[in-house]
């Protein structure tokens, strides 16, 4: 789908820019999830085919593969872990066959050094038909804490009738947010990390940070380039929604599940990491390849995702093959940048179906200073690639491939360069004449 944004969407983007100024004020700063969550979620690889042994095996594999050391600290169950009916007293109970002792399971996962996450729903039922938490929010939150969980993914299926719920989407999620806040106050334990799985239909990137630490911005991801491109395109207009304690969630990682080339997998993970999305692996780790593991363990890019000084996402500074601010779900923005504690990070995304040369003037990025030369670090080859003066060219970027760079100031640019301005048609001499080009 291709289209110029209508006037109401342009106004919406101006509003998002204003909101970005106050993100740190309104975000859910309750001591947890200041940075994006890294970990594992069962849904992509297993859906409902989960049990206690699988969770323990997965946690053990994550540790042996070095993923815990790389920062992937959460092992999360998704849907289908419970019995279909609550007890007579109203409690959710784990599936008696597949999760015979869920508390022992979380204890064992914690003993390996991880934290644990669980799933519920803001409606009557989960998306797979298990008990939801509507009208049982505090009861279920207490149960999850008693089982030993630290994180709650909260879905959006089986919404009650209007004359029962009498809430908009904000109020629907606030019910559980209030329960989690009450639980933290009474239990004196750290608050749950609260992940809203609302699919972005009610502009959750505007209000979600009042209640949760992350919020889904689109529908479900699929392991195809078209799905990734559409999610990147959508997120390119709402990057202002991400900062410390609150993150646009672009959905779980599809690396290693088939359907993506190696270059597409690199682009997928790079975009998610640099846009400060939560990074939740959804791969069968017993079959993971060294190439995919290498992507997941790129420590230079992970350091930017987990930057303790700068919390904001990268954003496009030029759309590339489309005019700026063009929404194109097949060919999203190509040129991105953002600040980090140690320089300016750039992502060049080749959305074309063939290799391409990608060129930009450094000062197109708002984070680059004119008149300065920059050292160039390639975050995928892990090499220092000389100094960039005024512009940079990446040649032969693979189809659907990515280049990730970290530029650091390396002194003033050499004297005598003509013209006197990198963007010559915007510069003027002090006597009023334009600088020649």
């Amino acid at each position: 789908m291709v289209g110029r944004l209508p006037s109401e969407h342009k106004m919406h983007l101006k509003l998002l820019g204003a909101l970005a100024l106050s993100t740190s004020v309104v975000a859910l700063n309750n001591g947890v999830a200041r940075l994006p969550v890294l970990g594992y979620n069962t849904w992509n690889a297993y859906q409902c085919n989960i049990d206690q042994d699988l969770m323990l095996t997965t946690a053990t594999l994550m540790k042996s593969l070095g993923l815990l050391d790389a920062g992937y600290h959460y092992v999360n169950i998704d849907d289908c872990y419970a019995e279909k009916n609550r007890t007579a007293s109203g409690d959710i109970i784990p599936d008696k066959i597949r999760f015979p002792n869920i508390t022992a399971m979380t204890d064992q996962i914690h003993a390996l050094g991880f934290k644990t996450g669980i799933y519920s729903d803001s409606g009557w039922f989960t998306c797979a038909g298990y008990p939801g938490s509507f009208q049982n929010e505090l009861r279920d939150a207490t149960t999850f804490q008693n089982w030993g969980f630290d994180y709650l993914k909260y879905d959006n299926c089986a919404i009650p009738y209007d004359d029962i719920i009498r809430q908009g989407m904000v109020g629907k999620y606030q019910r559980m947010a209030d329960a989690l806040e009450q639980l933290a106050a009474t239990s004196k334990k750290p608050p749950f990390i609260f992940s809203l799985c609302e699919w972005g239909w009610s502009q959750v990137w505007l209000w979600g940070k009042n209640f949760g630490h992350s919020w889904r911005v689109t529908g479900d991801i699929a392991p195809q380039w078209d799905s990734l491109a559409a999610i990147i395109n959508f997120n390119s207009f709402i990057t202002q929604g991400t900062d410390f304690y609150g993150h646009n969630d672009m959905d779980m990682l599809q690396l290693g599940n088939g359907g993506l080339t190696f270059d597409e997998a690199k682009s997928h993970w790079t975009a998610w990491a640099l846009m400060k999305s939560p990074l939740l692996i959804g791969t069968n780790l017993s079959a993971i390849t060294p190439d995919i593991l290498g992507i997941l363990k790129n420590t230079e890019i992970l350091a930017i995702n987990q930057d303790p000084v700068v919390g904001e996402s990268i954003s496009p500074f030029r759309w590339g093959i489309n005019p700026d601010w063009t929404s194109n779900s097949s060919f999203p923005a190509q040129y991105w940048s953002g600040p980090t504690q140690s320089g300016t990070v750039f992502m060049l995304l080749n959305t074309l179906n063939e290799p391409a040369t990608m060129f930009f003037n450094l000062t197109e990025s708002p984070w680059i200073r004119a008149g300065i030369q920059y050292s160039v670090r390639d975050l995928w080859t892990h090499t220092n690639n000389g100094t960039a003066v005024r512009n940079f060219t990446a040649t032969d970027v693979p189809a659907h491939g990515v280049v990730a760079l970290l530029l650091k100031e390396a002194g003033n640019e050499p004297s005598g360069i003509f013209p006197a301005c990198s963007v010559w048609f915007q510069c003027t001499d002090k006597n009023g004449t334009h600088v020649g080009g």
Side-chain angles (χ1 to χ4, degrees), residues 35-38 214 235 242 247-253 271-280 305-306 313:
L35 300 173
V37 168
L38 276 62
S214 63
N235 206 60
T242 283
H247 305 95
N248 290 331
D249 181 355
M250 299 164 69
D251 204 4
M252 295 171 285
L253 297 170
W272 267 235
L274 296 182
M275 283 192 264
K276 305 293 180 80
S277 175
L279 300 177
L280 293 174
N305 178 268
Q306 298 290 297
S313 164

Side-chain angles (χ1 to χ4, degrees), residues 88 111 203 323:
Q203 298 180 331

